[in-house]
Amino acid sequence: MIYHSNDLSKYSFLITGGAGFIGSNIVDYLMYNGAGLVRVLDDLSNGSYENISKYIGSNNFDFIKGDIRDYNTCLESVKGIDFISHQAALGSVPRSIKSPINTNSVNIDGFLNMMNAAKESKKLKRFVYAASSSTYGDSVELPKKEGNEGAPLSPYAVTKLVNELYAQVFYEVYGFKSIGLRYFNVFGPNQSFDNPYAAVIPIFCNCFLENKTPTIYGDGLTSRDFTYVLNAVQANIKSFFFDELNNHNVYNVAVGERTSLNEIIVLLNDITKKNIVANYGPERIGDVKHSLADISKIETDLKYNNLISFKTGLNKVYNWYKETKNQ
């Protein structure tokens, strides 16, 4: 799928966290479509070198192993860059509850370093960053609409809200324009299932592959607007070339449909022709019960299209995990 009409060979791109899940998918798109230069900044604390190793040695690829909490590293990575997609962050609500100081350090200090380094660049055309649906916090309104946020429910949500506040202040004080993309439960290839803070879909897929019983926290009615990763890639690419941006803006990146955890089990049984039943445990602290995005704003401004439905995406990613395990 092609999400751009511009000649990517004329431009240079920096993807922070580019060895991670969403970042590496953006890198894949840019490399496949002949970008002039793709630079990845990643400390490999969460990302995997395997996600980008196939590009090492390519004339149009550059890898910097470094930490966004080091300002000089951020300055160096921005040199000569036209477009930045800032994906580097510490995700996971449970991790932020266990380690709020580290989450704050990466997601706020690191973000501010990258945004200030970007502001100082004379060449940069656009700064796009990974925001989060967690910003809607305790708001019970469905669907979630930009401008109708609640109070944060976790340290992680606080950090992502602060990112948006900084981005808005950078526009008001410095005239620095940027776009925040509020991801709604993105899933897809390159998303790990074997770390302590893995997301629900890779965990469930791995359980089905190994014929193990998945655990659902709560009654299973918890629902999310699960979004296949290529929809997030599309949002980033279209944000780069949105010529009408005249301020700081945020957009929901989602499908506009919600699926419960119980429904995922049903769908995976259908995909795999198995009959696996979930275990149920206590609900987790900091989790939002229901999430559903209004995507009308991004559809209108960025001409975003929900090209891959949840069911299609789930089938794709299950088969990807299956193939990866068999390699």
Side-chain angles (χ1 to χ4, degrees):
M1 297 181 182
I2 302 298
Y3 310 129
H4 67 280
S5 58
N6 305 67
D7 181 357
L8 299 187
S9 68
K10 296 180 178 179
Y11 303 107
S12 55
F13 301 83
L14 168 65
I15 314 299
T16 70
F21 162 44
I22 298 177
S24 63
N25 277 275
I26 298 171
V27 169
D28 285 342
Y29 181 92
L30 293 170
M31 292 297 291
Y32 180 81
N33 288 286
L37 173 68
V38 178
R39 178 177 294 156
V40 166
L41 170 61
D42 201 306
D43 66 0
L44 301 180
S45 60
N46 288 294
S48 171
Y49 184 75
E50 292 180 357
N51 289 338
I52 58 170
S53 60
K54 57 184 172 290
Y55 303 123
I56 299 296
S58 299
N59 292 333
N60 63 333
F61 185 78
D62 184 20
F63 174 56
I64 299 174
K65 184 179 180 181
D67 193 326
I68 59 173
R69 289 174 292 184
D70 181 80
Y71 183 59
N72 287 330
T73 298
C74 296
L75 283 173
E76 189 65 26
S77 70
V78 168
K79 289 181 179 178
I81 294 296
D82 295 304
F83 299 99
I84 296 174
S85 176
H86 178 55
Q87 303 297 314
L90 275 184
S92 171
V93 166
R95 173 162 46 195
S96 75
I97 291 172
K98 183 178 180 180
S99 183
I101 293 175
N102 199 35
T103 297
N104 186 91
S105 176
V106 175
N107 292 2
I108 295 182
D109 295 347
F111 177 86
L112 181 57
N113 281 342
M114 279 307 309
M115 177 157 273
N116 201 69
K119 175 182 69 68
E120 295 301 303
S121 170
K122 304 301 181 186
K123 186 182 183 187
L124 190 73
K125 296 175 174 61
R126 181 61 44 79
F127 183 88
V128 181
Y129 65 93
S132 171
S133 60
S134 66
T135 303
Y136 290 102
D138 63 1
S139 170
V140 297
E141 179 184 61
L142 293 177
K144 309 294 185 184
K145 188 174 179 63
E146 299 94 340
N148 296 338
E149 295 78 25
L153 292 174
S154 68
Y156 172 73
V158 169
T159 68
K160 302 310 281 186
L161 172 59
V162 171
N163 288 177
E164 292 189 12
L165 294 174
Y166 262 125
Q168 181 62 32
V169 166
F170 265 54
Y171 168 67
E172 293 173 353
V173 174
Y174 307 112
F176 183 79
K177 304 171 186 177
S178 61
I179 290 177
L181 299 175
R182 288 180 180 167
Y183 297 144
F184 279 70
N185 295 90
V186 181
F187 70 98
N190 295 349
Q191 189 175 29
S192 174
F193 57 76
D194 59 356
N195 73 66
Y197 302 106
V200 64
I201 288 180
I203 290 175
F204 282 9
C205 285
N206 188 55
C207 285
F208 270 76
L209 284 167
E210 297 185 352
N211 294 309
K212 294 180 179 178
T213 301
T215 297
I216 290 176
Y217 296 98
D219 56 14
L221 299 178
T222 296
S223 64
R224 295 287 183 268
D225 197 330
F226 292 102
T227 306
Y228 191 65
V229 68
L230 288 185
N231 290 322
V233 172
Q234 175 195 178
N236 276 271
I237 302 302
K238 290 188 173 180
S239 293
F240 289 151
F241 299 106
F242 179 44
D243 294 331
E244 298 174 24
L245 182 69
N246 54 18
N247 52 18
H248 161 250
N249 221 332
V250 293
Y251 295 98
N252 291 338
V253 178
V255 174
E257 300 174 0
R258 62 187 173 117
T259 305
S260 73
L261 301 182
N262 287 333
E263 288 171 327
I264 295 175
I265 300 298
V266 172
L267 287 170
L268 282 171
N269 275 313
D270 182 58
I271 290 169
T272 62
K273 308 305 179 188
K274 295 181 179 181
N275 186 27
I276 291 177
V277 178
N279 284 329
Y280 292 84
E283 290 194 8
R284 298 187 305 186
I285 297 172
D287 274 353
V288 176
K289 185 67 176 176
H290 299 292
S291 185
L292 171 66
D294 181 328
I295 57 174
S296 58
K297 182 180 177 183
I298 193 171
E299 288 177 326
T300 299
D301 287 4
L302 302 187
K303 305 300 183 277
Y304 169 91
N305 296 300
N306 167 30
L307 298 174
I308 301 176
S309 68
F310 172 67
K311 187 173 182 179
T312 299
L314 184 63
N315 188 68
K316 284 178 176 289
V317 77
Y318 178 81
N319 285 307
W320 181 84
Y321 285 121
K322 185 177 180 180
E323 292 170 6
T324 300
K325 272 182 169 286
N326 291 334
Q327 289 177 357

